[in-house]
Amino acid sequence: MTTRSDAADTACSYRRTGHDPEAGVWRLKTLTGREREVLLLLGTGLGNRELSRELGIAERTVKAHTANIVAKLGQQTRTQAAIVSALVHGSLCTDLSCSGHRGKIPDCWLESTVA
């Protein structure tokens, strides 16, 4: 059995691993409106088939949007993008009665540079 050092127990896991899921947050402004909608739904854990039904688009279009989102946010996987979605739900969601509006991020991070 190995013994973990006290330093490893107190160091932030983000610092230890070198990956901070919030790093993609500032890139939200690069997403189109539809990509933001897909990102918001990614955070629900739905699969591509369910997302396509919810959005009324083809499953391959969902896959294309998801790939664009992952790339634009500088993430490596769909799961990482879903984590970003959960972190910023309150800013992506327009339903004010939604419980996810705690901890809203600055609107300037969401201003799209794409028309």
Side-chain angles (χ1 to χ4, degrees):
M1 181 156 96
T2 61
T3 304
R4 295 178 61 173
S5 71
D6 288 339
D9 289 338
T10 60
C12 174
S13 59
Y14 290 1
R15 279 194 2 222
R16 272 197 332 268
T17 62
H19 186 77
D20 180 354
E22 290 186 349
V25 170
W26 66 270
R27 296 179 177 149
L28 289 172
K29 61 186 165 192
T30 65
L31 300 179
T32 65
R34 188 58 146 182
E35 288 168 344
R36 286 185 199 166
E37 188 176 8
V38 172
L39 177 61
L40 184 60
L41 286 169
L42 280 178
T44 67
L46 293 176
N48 288 339
R49 182 169 295 151
E50 293 83 9
L51 289 174
S52 70
R53 284 188 200 132
E54 181 71 26
L55 295 167
I57 58 177
E59 192 172 341
R60 69 175 179 257
T61 306
V62 170
K63 290 178 184 180
H65 284 313
T66 302
N68 289 340
I69 291 164
V70 169
K72 286 180 178 182
L73 295 182
Q75 303 300 306
Q76 296 174 348
T77 67
R78 170 195 173 104
T79 301
Q80 290 172 334
I83 291 169
V84 171
S85 173
L87 288 170
V88 299
H89 176 89
S91 293
L92 291 171
C93 181
T94 57
D95 181 357
L96 296 179
S97 64
C98 176
S99 63
H101 284 278
R102 310 177 284 270
K104 186 172 172 140
I105 63 168
D107 289 335
C108 63
W109 289 358
L110 293 172
E111 293 172 5
S112 179
T113 56
V114 181

